[in-house]
Amino acid sequence: MNYRAVCFLAAALLMAAAPVSSAEDAGTPFMTNVYGRDYQFLNGKWNAIVDLYDQGEKMKVYENRTPQTGEEFYEYSFEGGLRLNVPGDWNSQTPELKYYEGTVWYARHFDADPQPGQRQFLYFGAVSYRCKVYLNGEQITEHEGGFTPFEVELTGKLRSGDNFLVVQVNNRRTQDAIPALAYDWWNYGGITRDVMLVTTPEQYVRDYFVRLDGNDAGSVKVSLELARPQAADVTVDIPELKVSKTVRTDEDGRAEFGVKVKGLELWEPGKAKLYDVTVSCGDDSVSDRIGFRYLETEGTGILVNGKRTFMRSISFHEEIPQRKGRAFSQADAQMLLSEAEALGVNMIRLAHYPQNEYIVRLAEQMGIILWQEIPIWQGIDFEDKGTESKALGMLEEMIFRDRNRCAVCFWGVANETKPSDARNAFLLSLLEKGRSMDDTRLYVAAFDLVYFNEETRHFEMDDPFTENLDVVAVNKYMGWYHPWPVPPSEAVWDVVPDKPLIISEFGGEALYGQHGDRNMASSWSEEYQARLYEDNIEMFRHIPNLAGVSPWILFDFRSPYRFHPTNQEDWNRKGLVSDQGYRKAAWYIMRDYYKEIKNSDK
Ligand code: GCU
């Protein structure tokens, strides 16, 4: 065989072995609805090395070498040392890591049995904050962003039998990160959500988006994309609606079409109607539970399925306070959501970042509306083009993961940003990107710019950027960071009067079980917090375009901001519920207000 033929054959073999990276699979960051596919968890105890001075990459610890001769030695080993639970943050797993910000190397073995004609992918629900992934000693991907999924194709790289997986995780805060250097929640690091090994056929349904066609409850719209560019038959089944529609994709593997339906029951708060939907192509089929509803604003109202709906909301961080750690499981989602439901909410603002899929899917099953946002929180460097592309990536990953989740009704693009040309341009690019991916939801941002105008004696806000939003939200801490300039009953708001306005944060701190003067903020007493809630509720009654409120916050949560040695101890105490799960007096005031609203909403 001549030299040229040998090269050709070698190249052909390499091409056959070289995996088609999932990035070449359509233009999507990861496959839609991984939980509806053929997967195995790689959760459990992983071995770990704490690498405070970032030496591990230079030492190539990911090669996991062991001495083979009398002269060899290695100053690391993944065996016999620290072991960490995955999923989970590392800060809550050992006292030494409570404040740790730096690199931790995670490693584990796993067995695989890759079959010809099948493809394998590694999927991470989230890793906080940045990471590099190595398989059998080779780097295979990297990702930045602590709250959205990513995947990498392993086809052609997996060994039959034992494989060694290493993830270098780093949670150091940087000015060009999102969130950036200082933010009011704990900087948890780690592999904080599920890790899965996913198997698909050679050609599979990589993406679908199934929703109502506009405001027409008689027409379902389907957009889908196959992994490989190919004209092929794809079938969408919705048995309960007697829908089974087969269409042929174009040469790029894409299709978009409408399906007429009869008797569709709409999803709405408190009535969580979901339909079994299966999308299949050849050997592949992926199943989901999908709800149908439509949203719009009308003047100062937010309408769900054409019905004006006041948002009785609450916020929570993705944290189990009793465990002092990130929430990551179905059981964690049940704890958080059942406490929110007990308050009488119809909405949750998932602060301040996309939260795990268990929380999103359970809220959908419970009939609770969600506001999800990317962590554009205060001090973001809006001049930095690199930061902008990161933000666009996070927004794309958030929308791409959850656009089939009918509970999600709001996409939030920012929290408490200061007006500037750079900020406006940055946020406009986010809105354009979002609306190009999903024009079925309402876009919102939270501002902390409302001030009391001594001349007009009104509460006002001057930020023209609000014109670009469907709904405007305001964080305002009357009675906590801001003393009352007028009695609550005389508070007149003149803030975006022609748009729906949500008070997306209000509240104050109280240490559960601490009692004191209801007129003294520094008492950190339940009585003061309760009085603060009474005053804010009184003010709400006089805001003409109020479309919803969301107290800050359901649970006390961990924050290095909060130094007071007896009232805080690294906890932000604005929770209506303590870090031990006990309801404070203000909880009952909010519960009664929501009961009143719900009854008047009928
Ligand atoms: C801000 C911010 C929250 C923060 C809160 C507080 O408005 O959005 O993330 O925790 O105020 O000061 O408690």
Side-chain angles (χ1 to χ4, degrees):
M1 185 182 292
N2 68 31
Y3 174 71
R4 183 183 295 275
V6 169
C7 289
F8 177 76
L9 177 63
L13 286 172
L14 268 177
M15 283 297 285
V20 175
S21 92
S22 55
E24 289 165 37
D25 271 351
T28 54
F30 41 80
M31 59 185 79
T32 299
N33 183 20
V34 72
Y35 288 88
R37 295 178 189 274
D38 176 7
Y39 69 84
Q40 67 178 78
F41 278 132
L42 293 181
N43 294 344
K45 287 281 187 194
W46 288 42
N47 295 322
I49 293 173
V50 178
D51 181 6
L52 183 57
Y53 286 7
D54 289 318
Q55 297 300 302
E57 202 158 338
K58 191 168 56 180
M59 295 162 73
K60 296 187 179 179
V61 298
Y62 48 85
E63 291 181 347
N64 196 30
R65 289 184 181 282
T66 53
Q68 301 303 308
T69 69
E71 290 73 40
E72 280 187 359
F73 67 92
Y74 294 96
E75 294 185 82
Y76 70 88
S77 166
F78 281 106
E79 304 297 329
L82 177 65
R83 300 214 316 138
L84 292 173
N85 291 318
V86 169
D89 62 276
W90 60 58
N91 310 79
S92 58
Q93 295 195 45
T94 70
E96 294 78 12
L97 294 179
K98 173 178 177 182
Y99 290 100
Y100 183 70
E101 294 184 302
T103 296
V104 172
W105 293 85
Y106 286 77
R108 64 161 291 164
H109 290 271
F110 68 93
D111 285 340
D113 179 19
Q115 298 300 310
Q118 289 188 338
R119 300 170 70 182
Q120 298 81 28
F121 297 83
L122 193 55
Y123 179 95
F124 290 83
V127 176
S128 183
Y129 164 79
R130 55 182 73 78
C131 68
K132 288 181 183 174
V133 182
Y134 304 79
L135 180 73
N136 301 326
E138 298 288 324
Q139 180 177 341
I140 52 173
T141 194
E142 59 186 328
H143 184 262
E144 179 174 347
F147 305 100
T148 45
F150 61 98
E151 83 179 22
V152 58
E153 182 157 12
L154 302 183
T155 315
K157 296 193 167 184
L158 270 182
R159 296 193 288 232
S160 289
D162 179 59
N163 290 269
F164 189 63
L165 177 62
V166 175
V167 185
Q168 178 202 52
V169 181
N170 180 283
N171 72 329
R172 214 163 274 133
R173 289 163 295 115
T174 59
Q175 184 50 52
D176 67 343
I178 298 174
L181 279 174
Y183 41 88
D184 192 18
W185 66 88
W186 206 265
N187 176 29
Y188 289 113
I191 302 179
T192 48
R193 295 182 192 162
D194 289 337
V195 182
M196 297 133 98
L197 186 60
V198 188
T199 301
T200 70
E202 187 59 44
Q203 172 70 296
Y204 62 96
V205 178
R206 181 152 176 89
D207 172 37
Y208 57 82
F209 182 19
V210 179
R211 68 286 193 195
L212 283 186
D213 188 357
N215 295 355
D216 176 359
S219 174
V220 166
K221 188 172 179 182
V222 180
S223 312
L224 58 85
E225 189 164 2
L226 301 178
R228 293 266 164 78
Q230 179 192 13
D233 288 346
V234 182
T235 301
V236 176
D237 287 301
I238 315 176
E240 197 178 335
L241 292 175
K242 297 184 179 39
V243 165
S244 181
K245 172 133 185 171
T246 299
V247 299
R248 192 146 185 84
T249 63
D250 62 19
E251 300 299 318
D252 295 327
R254 292 195 186 103
E256 182 159 290
F257 56 94
V259 186
K260 287 295 170 208
V261 293
K262 282 198 180 61
L264 184 145
E265 199 181 320
L266 294 175
W267 183 96
E268 62 180 60
K271 216 172 81 187
K273 176 61 184 170
L274 299 173
Y275 288 88
D276 288 323
V277 177
T278 301
V279 186
S280 46
C281 173
D283 304 337
D284 185 48
S285 91
V286 51
S287 295
D288 207 338
R289 298 266 296 149
I290 291 184
F292 300 95
R293 50 103 191 95
Y294 60 91
L295 299 167
E296 54 202 332
T297 59
E298 191 178 77
T300 62
I302 296 169
L303 282 62
V304 180
N305 302 332
K307 184 180 170 229
R308 197 178 176 106
T309 305
F310 187 89
M311 299 299 150
R312 307 187 310 272
S313 181
I314 191 70
S315 273
F316 54 63
H317 272 289
E318 188 183 43
E319 181 182 72
I320 300 299
Q322 296 91 329
R323 191 171 66 220
K324 299 192 179 80
R326 275 267 170 260
F328 51 76
S329 66
Q330 181 71 26
D332 291 344
Q334 265 141 11
M335 193 285 273
L336 293 169
L337 284 156
S338 60
E339 192 58 42
E341 187 177 54
L343 193 62
V345 304
N346 62 3
M347 171 171 140
I348 296 168
R349 178 192 178 196
L350 294 179
H352 278 292
Y353 35 76
Q355 298 193 9
N356 67 67
E357 290 196 72
Y358 295 110
I359 288 174
V360 173
R361 287 175 181 272
L362 183 56
E364 187 174 61
Q365 291 152 27
M366 293 169 71
I368 297 176
I369 285 171
L370 294 176
W371 156 338
Q372 283 218 99
E373 62 190 68
I374 55 173
I376 300 289
W377 192 94
Q378 294 185 10
I380 300 292
D381 183 354
F382 293 119
E383 307 278 347
D384 181 323
K385 278 300 169 202
T387 307
E388 181 174 322
S389 65
K390 281 176 200 170
L392 287 165
M394 289 177 187
L395 183 78
E396 180 189 20
E397 290 168 358
M398 173 176 74
I399 293 176
F400 191 76
R401 188 194 78 176
D402 287 347
R403 62 184 179 175
N404 286 301
R405 307 275 69 82
C406 64
V408 180
C409 294
F410 300 90
W411 296 125
V413 294
N415 183 70
E416 302 189 347
T417 58
K418 298 287 174 258
S420 73
D421 291 346
R423 180 214 68 174
N424 292 350
F426 190 107
L427 296 188
L428 266 179
S429 67
L430 291 179
L431 290 175
E432 280 155 23
K433 173 87 181 168
R435 288 179 170 132
S436 70
M437 288 183 69
D438 176 7
D439 61 2
T440 71
R441 289 175 170 88
L442 300 174
Y443 288 81
V444 64
F447 300 86
D448 63 341
L449 301 167
V450 166
Y451 64 96
F452 184 73
N453 185 325
E454 291 295 344
E455 263 116 65
T456 62
R457 310 290 294 162
H458 288 178
F459 286 88
E460 299 175 5
M461 179 166 92
D462 312 321
D463 190 336
F465 186 79
T466 53
E467 285 148 28
N468 301 292
L469 298 166
D470 299 307
V471 174
V472 174
V474 164
N475 300 342
K476 191 67 184 172
Y477 286 88
M478 297 308 301
W480 190 251
Y481 299 126
H482 311 287
W484 290 94
V486 291
S489 59
E490 296 167 25
V492 176
W493 282 57
D494 185 9
V495 175
V496 295
D498 57 348
K499 274 185 183 282
L501 173 70
I502 290 179
I503 302 288
S504 42
E505 290 182 33
F506 72 95
E509 299 204 17
L511 179 62
Y512 171 72
Q514 184 155 294
H515 299 285
D517 186 340
R518 66 184 258 115
N519 300 309
M520 188 180 290
S522 58
S523 66
W524 246 274
S525 64
E526 288 194 48
E527 288 75 14
Y528 184 83
Q529 188 188 44
R531 180 251 165 118
L532 180 147
Y533 269 74
E534 287 163 356
D535 288 349
N536 276 274
I537 288 169
E538 177 56 37
M539 175 173 75
F540 298 155
R541 299 182 192 288
H542 310 286
I543 303 179
N545 58 324
L546 189 64
V549 298
S550 195
W552 187 260
I553 189 168
L554 184 57
F555 286 97
D556 291 350
F557 62 95
R558 298 181 69 197
S559 168
Y561 261 42
R562 307 298 167 172
F563 308 131
H564 193 284
T566 53
N567 292 323
Q568 292 179 315
E569 306 167 283
D570 278 349
W571 288 89
N572 182 315
R573 297 288 186 196
K574 293 190 184 69
L576 289 170
V577 183
S578 76
D579 57 299
Q580 297 300 308
Y582 286 91
R583 295 167 181 171
K584 305 174 190 174
W587 184 93
Y588 299 90
I589 290 168
M590 202 65 212
R591 186 269 320 264
D592 292 348
Y593 175 60
Y594 278 168
K595 223 182 253 177
E596 174 203 327
I597 294 272
K598 184 175 180 183
N599 294 338
S600 65
D601 227 8
K602 279 200 168 81

